[in-house]
Amino acid sequence: MSRVHDMGGRFGDGAVVPEPEDERFHEDWHARALALTLAAGSLGKWNIDVSRHARECLAPRDYTAFSYYEKWMGGLAALLVQTGVLSRDELAGVDRGTLSDLAVRRLSADQVAGVLAKGGPADRDSDIAPVFAVGDAVVTRRIAENLFVAGGHTRLPGYAAGARGRVLRYHGTHVLPDSNAHGLGEAPEPLYAVVFAASELWQHPEHPRDEVVLDLWQSYLVPA
Amino acid sequence: MPHDSHDHDHPHALLPPDPALRVKALETILTDKGLIDPAALDAIIDTYENRIGPRNGAHVVARAWREPDFLQALRDDATTAVADMGYFGRQGEHLVVVENTADTHNIVVCTLCSCYPWPLLGIPPGWYKSDAYRARVVREPRRVLADFGVRLGDDTAVRVWDSTAEVRYLVLPMRPENTDGWSEEALMDLVSRDSMIGTAVAGAAP
């Protein structure tokens, strides 16, 4: 079983339509949705991997029909209820709601610049030593699924599962999304940029020398 | 639970169907509970509408074209090199610069969501977040480039970077010919946002 967001290599989506560089938001509510998501995230009730998983768990028919920021709103509504920040009745407007205990964490306008500047680095010290070096041949796990949770979050796209590549860069040790998205801890481990020949991934590559690079955690890889 | 009742199972279905009203409803509920300060939303929007955009990335590229020492600093540790110019923050915590050459043209995508180097390029354009781009560019980058009016020769290989982790990639486009001695400011005008994603070449009309 796969989720609808994992669309790399799919056919049938039509042309890519360029747009002018000075176009920031297509609708005013897009900007509001972006800001609302960032502000709600700063309440500290979830991390980036949890929020990506929430968007990926939208029903396929919603994911397909929704525009980008509608997906964000769908994921945000799910997170607010899952984490108990809002009740379903409050979300539905049946219950007006009362001041939340979390209100002390509310992001104020004067904190915005600092929060955006700080970001959320994902590199962490780890007890797990790198086992691959730049240039080593590796193979990705044959099954692109979460090892801990059935149907859980992973950052190994289906199109690159079971493929043979070569380590191009070592990024250091980073938080493992497959664990962090499910409250199982950050579980940092070595992260690599791995390069694959297009002919390893596709039956009909456009050019014999084309390549695709993915950032892959050590537990996604085995020696070739 | 029955499979045909997802409208009731997904919390977002409790909100109004119109997306603009859905956002407004969420903002109102969260504001009433003391969880959101609407002025903070205004400040976030102002940041991404007016303060952060592709000129930041163009500044990095123009400087790399002019200053060999800075180019080397980018190769060694791009995150630190651009932070020293004041460009850092959310979605730019781990930066890698990939250099176009006569042999290799780089293109960036995130097939799983739409990861993008916000501090250098602003928020991503609509097409970068589209299903068509995410699905197609890893399999048929040259056909996608054709949608942008770009044609590569057979002697140039394409390397597509799928941003599957928190590392963000910035393409360093090739410096256009006959620009020796140009000022940083003049060079910046040759660097489009799309050229730093890899769907355009520098110096072409955006």
Side-chain angles (χ1 to χ4, degrees):
Chain A
M1 294 261 279
S2 60
R3 293 200 191 277
V4 64
H5 72 284
D6 184 4
M7 59 181 69
R10 180 174 78 182
F11 289 112
D13 285 289
V16 178
V17 182
E19 70 185 31
E21 196 152 301
D22 57 1
E23 187 148 8
R24 297 282 191 268
F25 296 103
H26 293 105
E27 307 277 353
D28 289 344
W29 69 263
H30 290 182
R32 217 68 193 161
L34 169 97
L36 193 56
T37 301
L38 298 192
S42 73
L43 296 170
K45 296 295 280 183
W46 53 81
N47 61 52
I48 192 166
D49 299 306
V50 170
S51 65
R52 287 202 184 109
H53 184 61
R55 287 172 210 148
E56 293 164 6
C57 283
L58 288 170
R61 72 178 181 192
D62 286 342
Y63 193 95
T64 306
F66 281 2
S67 64
Y68 180 75
Y69 289 113
E70 284 179 272
K71 293 180 186 117
W72 278 35
M73 288 298 94
L76 179 58
L79 288 171
L80 289 166
V81 171
Q82 275 166 31
T83 57
V85 175
L86 291 183
S87 69
R88 295 179 72 95
D89 280 351
E90 284 171 332
L91 197 63
V94 175
D95 179 347
R96 283 277 303 160
T98 53
L99 197 65
S100 169
D101 294 343
L102 277 175
V104 293
R105 294 201 210 156
R106 183 178 78 158
L107 180 72
S108 61
D110 60 1
Q111 293 171 318
V112 166
V115 166
L116 297 183
K118 186 162 171 259
D123 55 329
R124 302 283 188 278
D125 290 336
S126 171
D127 296 337
I128 302 173
V131 299
F132 303 114
V134 170
D136 282 359
V138 292
V139 175
T140 53
R141 286 207 314 254
R142 187 175 60 81
I143 302 175
E145 291 184 11
N146 188 302
L147 288 180
F148 316 113
V149 177
H153 179 70
T154 188
R155 297 291 285 181
L156 174 58
Y159 77 83
R164 182 190 171 98
R166 174 171 53 83
V167 174
L168 195 61
R169 293 182 73 105
Y170 174 57
H171 293 305
T173 48
H174 281 230
V175 173
L176 179 67
D178 306 50
S179 178
N180 200 39
H182 299 285
L184 302 173
E186 294 191 328
E189 60 174 63
L191 176 71
Y192 308 90
V194 180
V195 62
F196 301 88
S199 58
E200 174 73 11
L201 305 173
W202 322 114
Q203 190 67 49
H204 302 282
E206 287 184 312
H207 187 284
R209 285 175 51 227
D210 287 354
E211 297 172 324
V212 180
V213 183
L214 294 93
D215 286 330
L216 301 170
W217 281 263
Q218 186 157 289
S219 59
Y220 293 5
L221 304 169
V222 294
Chain B
M1 59 189 81
H3 283 153
D4 60 357
S5 69
H6 93 270
D7 283 347
H8 305 290
D9 297 333
H10 282 263
H12 65 77
L14 298 166
L15 293 163
D18 176 82
L21 296 178
R22 195 177 302 165
V23 175
K24 186 72 199 159
L26 258 183
E27 183 179 336
T28 302
I29 297 162
L30 291 170
T31 302
D32 287 351
K33 286 185 72 69
L35 295 168
I36 289 291
D37 173 6
L41 304 191
D42 294 338
I44 294 169
I45 292 166
D46 177 59
T47 302
Y48 290 113
E49 217 156 37
N50 302 314
R51 296 174 195 278
I52 296 179
R55 290 293 284 179
N56 292 359
H59 187 194
V60 171
V61 169
R63 197 173 160 203
W65 283 345
R66 279 169 51 93
E67 300 177 27
D69 289 350
F70 178 70
L71 175 61
Q72 191 56 48
L74 277 182
R75 289 172 177 152
D76 293 343
D77 179 358
T79 312
T80 301
V82 307
D84 288 345
M85 295 173 70
Y87 306 138
F88 52 85
R90 189 188 166 80
Q91 290 296 311
E93 295 91 344
H94 311 284
L95 186 74
V96 170
V97 170
V98 292
E99 298 171 49
N100 284 352
T101 65
D103 293 329
T104 304
H105 181 87
N106 295 282
I107 307 179
V108 182
V109 65
C110 169
T111 63
L112 296 175
C113 39
S114 294
C115 298
Y116 191 77
W118 290 17
L120 292 173
L121 299 186
I123 53 166
W127 57 262
Y128 186 86
K129 300 178 283 199
S130 70
D131 290 4
Y133 185 71
R134 289 167 52 191
R136 290 179 54 209
V137 78
V138 283
R139 185 191 283 267
E140 44 182 31
R142 290 161 196 268
R143 288 188 187 90
V144 170
L145 285 173
D147 288 347
F148 286 84
V150 175
R151 290 191 192 283
L152 297 178
D154 273 351
D155 48 356
T156 302
V158 173
R159 183 176 264 183
V160 182
W161 298 77
D162 190 352
S163 311
T164 39
E166 301 304 339
V167 180
R168 299 290 166 263
Y169 293 94
L170 182 81
V171 174
L172 185 70
M174 286 174 68
R175 180 172 180 164
E177 291 178 0
N178 304 318
T179 57
D180 288 352
W182 283 35
S183 69
E184 191 172 82
E185 190 73 18
L187 288 171
M188 280 174 68
D189 290 339
L190 300 178
V191 185
S192 66
R193 173 195 61 204
D194 294 4
S195 74
M196 294 181 280
I197 304 171
T199 54
V201 294

